[in-house]
């Protein structure tokens, strides 16, 4: 069982097994809290010091190697010059926090970056409610749960085209898929979304509708059960 088609393709290419041995079943979750993430928006933005006019770009990931925070910080300089209302919310903690903070300080962006520290998974919908856009700049994942979680919350996503990201981040439909490490494309995608609330709502709504059918945990367990029954028949 693969969590995305991309993982199947990689395993087939590595000659682990032929493609007919694999079945993709997306990693389900309780989607209700994400669907209702907007209910937390006002309270969490107030808690974090954001105004309603601020555009909040979030990233949910450990502050760790291969998670790509450095690319988001590199892009932020030109993004903030073009639109000073944009702020960045980093959800998570890790061994690279000091290094990332130093990069932010050297770029003169301390007022535009906000850290939540480590938060329990149950709090992720609250922080998604405070965001307007999710940026995913990791260099290696299966299919990062942050992407469907953001889409379930109705937030458009900008993601590097790695592994299974393309299965939920669909350019001009649910967000923008860009080449890994392409700082200019990252700047362009974030600024395009920041400039248009209607575009954010349009792409976020499409993503929410798509992920509502892909990610309920009931679908996952039903599909696994059906596969086992088929194999045992």
């Amino acid at each position: 069982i693969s969590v995305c088609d991309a993982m199947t393709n990689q395993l087939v290419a590595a000659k682990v097994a032929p493609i007919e041995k694999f079945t993709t079943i997306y990693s389900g979750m309780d989607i209700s809290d994400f669907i209702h993430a907007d209910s937390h928006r006002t309270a969490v933005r107030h808690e974090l010091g954001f105004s309603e006019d601020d555009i909040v770009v979030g990233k949910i990931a450990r502050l760790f190697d291969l998670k790509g925070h450095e690319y988001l910080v590199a892009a932020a300089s030109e993004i903030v010059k073009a639109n000073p209302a944009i702020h960045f919310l980093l959800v998570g903690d890790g061994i690279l926090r000091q290094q990332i903070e130093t990069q932010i300080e050297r770029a003169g962006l301390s007022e535009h970056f906000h850290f939540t520290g480590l938060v329990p998974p149950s709090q992720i919908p609250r922080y998604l409610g405070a965001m307007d856009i999710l940026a995913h700049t990791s260099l290696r994942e299966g299919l990062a749960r942050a992407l469907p979680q953001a889409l379930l919350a109705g937030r458009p996503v900008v993601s590097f085209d790695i592994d299974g990201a393309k299965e939920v981040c669909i350019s001009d439909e649910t967000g923008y898929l860009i080449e890994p490490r392409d700082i200019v494309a990252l700047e362009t995608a974030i600024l395009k979304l920041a400039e248009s609330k209607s575009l954010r709502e349009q792409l976020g709504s499409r993503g929410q509708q798509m992920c509502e059918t892909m990610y309920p945990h009931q679908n996952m367990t039903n599909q696994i059960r059906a596969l086992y029954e088929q194999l045992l028949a």
Side-chain angles (χ1 to χ4, degrees), residues 102-145:
T102 298
Q103 184 186 2
I104 290 167
E105 289 168 7
R106 287 176 176 169
L109 293 167
S110 295
E111 292 184 2
H112 287 269
F113 274 85
H114 311 262
F115 292 78
T116 68
L118 184 65
V119 301
S122 61
Q123 296 298 302
I124 297 299
R126 294 184 71 249
Y127 289 106
L128 279 167
M131 298 175 193
D132 297 289
I133 301 161
L134 181 93
H136 183 65
T137 54
S138 293
L139 297 176
R140 186 176 67 199
E141 299 279 355
L143 198 167
R145 289 173 77 80

Side-chain angles (χ1 to χ4, degrees), residues 131-194:
M131 298 175 193
D132 297 289
I133 301 161
L134 181 93
H136 183 65
T137 54
S138 293
L139 297 176
R140 186 176 67 199
E141 299 279 355
L143 198 167
R145 289 173 77 80
L147 290 171
Q149 287 172 347
L151 292 169
L152 285 164
R155 300 318 189 247
V157 295
V158 177
S159 177
F160 285 168
D161 185 5
I162 52 103
D163 299 327
K166 64 172 66 70
E167 294 173 44
V168 292
C169 180
I170 304 167
S171 286
D172 294 312
E173 291 190 28
T174 66
Y176 295 103
L177 192 69
I178 60 178
E179 288 300 310
R181 301 183 177 89
D182 190 336
I183 304 300
V184 173
L186 183 59
E187 295 166 0
T188 300
I190 289 174
L191 285 169
K192 184 173 183 178
L193 288 169

Side-chain angles (χ1 to χ4, degrees), residues 14-86:
K15 301 187 185 304
V16 172
I19 194 166
E20 60 269 18
K21 294 288 188 180
F22 293 92
T23 300
T24 295
I25 299 178
Y26 291 104
S27 182
M29 65 190 89
D30 185 347
I31 69 172
S32 57
D33 287 343
F34 296 100
I35 295 292
H36 298 105
D38 269 335
S39 65
H40 303 289
R41 182 177 178 85
T42 300
V44 178
R45 285 173 76 98
H46 177 75
E47 172 188 314
L48 295 170
F50 297 130
S51 76
E52 192 52 41
D53 293 329
D54 289 333
I55 306 297
V56 179
V57 179
K59 178 169 171 59
I60 302 171
R62 291 179 301 145
L63 309 183
F64 203 72
D65 294 317
L66 299 178
K67 294 299 183 181
H69 292 84
E70 66 270 29
Y71 304 111
L72 186 61
V73 178
S77 292
E78 294 301 319
I79 289 171
V80 169
K81 284 180 187 176
N83 189 338
I86 296 176

